[in-house]
Amino acid sequence: MTKAASVIHWFRLDLRLHDNLALRNAINEAENRKQTLRPIYLLDPDLKNKVGKNRLRFLIQSLRDLDANLRKINTRLFIIKGNVECLPQLFEKWQVKFITLQVDIDAELVQQDEVIEQICEEKDIFMVKRVQHTVYDFNTVLKNNNGNVPLTYQKFLSLVANTQVKDSIEITKEISNDCKAPDFDSTENDITILEDLGFSEADLNECKYPGGETEGLKRLNLYMAKKQWVCNFEKPNTSPNSIEPSTTVLSPYISHGCLSSKLFYHKLKQVESGMKHSSPPVSLLGQLMWREFYYTAGAGTKNFDKMVGNSVCTQIPWKKNEEYLKAWAEGRTGYPFVDAIMRQLKQEGWIHHLARHMVACFLTRGDLWVSWEEGAKVFEDYLLDYDWSLNAGNWMWLSASAFFYKYYRVYSPVAFGKKTDKEGLYIKKYVPELKKYPSEYIYEPWKAPKSVQTAAGCVIGENYPKRIVDHDKVHKDNIQRMNAAYKLSKEKKALKHYLCRLKRPCNVAKRNQRRHYTFQSKAFSE
C-alpha cells in the first residue's frame, strides 16, 4: 500500500496562526491535493546548553499554545527532537512533497536553510519561503538602497516611507479530515516538558510573561485599548527602574513570532489614526521601526554579530577580562543600579530598554572595557526577547561601535537611576542585601559610614562587593581610548580609500607618489 503524501509547514520564529502566510500556503496545498498536513517544530536536544532557563520555558509554553491553537483547526504540532540533519529520514517516512517556512536572517537559521534547500532539491520537494517575521521585506529595502545597508535610522525610514504594508491574514477555517494526520492522537511527538530538558519548574522564578500566541494577542489588545497612553508614549519618558514595566513587554512575543510585527504595526496605525500622537523614533511605532532597521542592517551585513569582518563596525581593541565579565553578568559589580538590572534580567528574562543601555555601556566603553560580543552572548542566554539582529545592533550602538558615535556620552551608574527612582526601591527589590540602607547611600553604598553599614546588616566588601572600578576615573580614561580607536579607524579608512584610487590607471607622477606614500605607510605600521 502506497503511503499518503504529506505537506509540511516548518515552524521556527513564527509560532502563531495569525499572519502566517507560509502556514496558509501549506494548508491550501494539502487541501487541494488531499494530502496530509504536518506542522512541525525541530527541538534541539542540546537546547538546554544554548538557551537560558527563562527563554526555554517561554519557548515550551509557546509550543504548547501553538499546538492547542492548531488543534482548533483540526491539525496539531509535531515536535521533532533533533536538528536539521534528521529531516531527510522524516521526509522519506512521511513522503513529503511540499514544505513551507518563513525567511529568517539569524545566522543559525540561514545555515539551516542552506541544508534544507539542498535536501529538497535532491528529493524533488517543492519549497515555499515567506518573509513574515518583519513588517517590511528587508531584501526589498536593501534593493531600494542600491544594495547598500542604511547606516542611520532616518535613512531607513526614508526608504520605507512610501511602502504599503499588506494586511495580516487570519487562519480560522478548520481543515478537512482528509488532511488530518493518521497519527493525530499519538503521544510520540507531544510537547516536551521542561523536565525532559533537564530543568524543573522549581528551578525557575515566577513566570511574569507566559509564552504563546494567545498571551501575546491578549497583551497586544490590552495595550491597544489604552489609546491615549499609546498616542502619548515616548520611550525616553518611561522608567528603566520601575517595579512594574512601564512599557508593553510585547518584545518576547514578537521575537518568538507568537505575535506578528505586521499585526502590531496595523494596530498602532489604527490607534493613531485621527489622534494627536508622538512620532518616531520615540513613539511605539518608532520602537517597532528600530527593529526593522536592525533587521535590514543585519540582512545586508556579513558577520553582523561579530566585530572582525563586520563592515559597519569600528574595530576597537577591547580587553579580555573574565573576572569583570562574570561579575557584571552575575550582578556583583559593586554598583547597585547595575547589579539590580543584571539580577532582574537573570531572574525574569526581561529588563527595560534603557536599563539595557545602562549595563551595556557599563560593560564596554563606559567602565569595564570588555567587548560588546561578550555582553551579547550573556544577553542571548538571559533575554526572553533575544533577537539575533537586534541584539547585535543594539550592542554595537551602545558600545559606540556602529550607528551611534558620540562615545563621550557615558551613562553614570549612579546618577542615571536616581532620575526615576531616588529612593532606590528598584535596587532594594533586586539587591536585597541593601534593602535597609538609607536612600542617600543606596546608589553609592561605599560612601556610607561603617556604622551605617553595620546597622543595615551589609558591610561593603563582606556582605556586598566593593565597586569593581572607580567610574569617575575609568570612564574618562575610556573616552580617550575610544578617541584613539576612532582616530586609527579613520586613518585606516583614508589609507584604504587612497590606495584604491591609486590602483586606477595613472601617470608616472602618480606612480611615484604612490611609491612614496606606500613607503610612509609601511613605516607608520611598524
Side-chain angles (χ1 to χ4, degrees), residues 413-427:
V414 174
F416 186 61
K418 285 183 178 180
K419 292 178 181 178
T420 47
D421 181 21
K422 291 182 180 179
E423 299 300 315
L425 299 179
Y426 175 80
I427 291 173

Side-chain angles (χ1 to χ4, degrees), residues 9 90 167 220 222 233 277 280 347 403 447 462 484 493 509:
H9 174 68
L90 197 69
D167 290 336
L220 173 67
L222 174 68
F233 183 92
H277 56 81
Q347 291 171 28
F403 310 118
K447 288 186 175 181
E462 297 178 15
K493 286 179 181 178

Side-chain angles (χ1 to χ4, degrees), residues 1-2 41 106 136 141 168 184 204 220 248 309 360 419 433 439 482:
M1 182 177 176
T2 305
Y41 184 88
D106 184 311
Y136 303 103
V141 178
S168 56
F184 180 88
L204 297 163
L220 173 67
T248 65
K419 292 178 181 178
E433 307 98 295
S439 58
M482 289 296 294

Side-chain angles (χ1 to χ4, degrees), residues 13 47 50-62 106 194 204 255-256 348-349 377 379-387:
L13 296 179
L47 198 60
K50 300 177 181 178
V51 173
K53 297 177 183 179
N54 286 311
R55 185 147 68 96
L56 191 57
R57 174 172 62 181
F58 190 96
L59 172 63
I60 296 300
Q61 290 170 338
S62 299
D106 184 311
L194 280 171
L204 297 163
S255 66
H256 282 81
E348 300 174 8
K377 291 174 187 175
F379 271 27
E380 180 178 357
D381 185 23
Y382 288 171
L383 282 173
L384 287 180
D385 59 5
Y386 167 75
D387 189 304

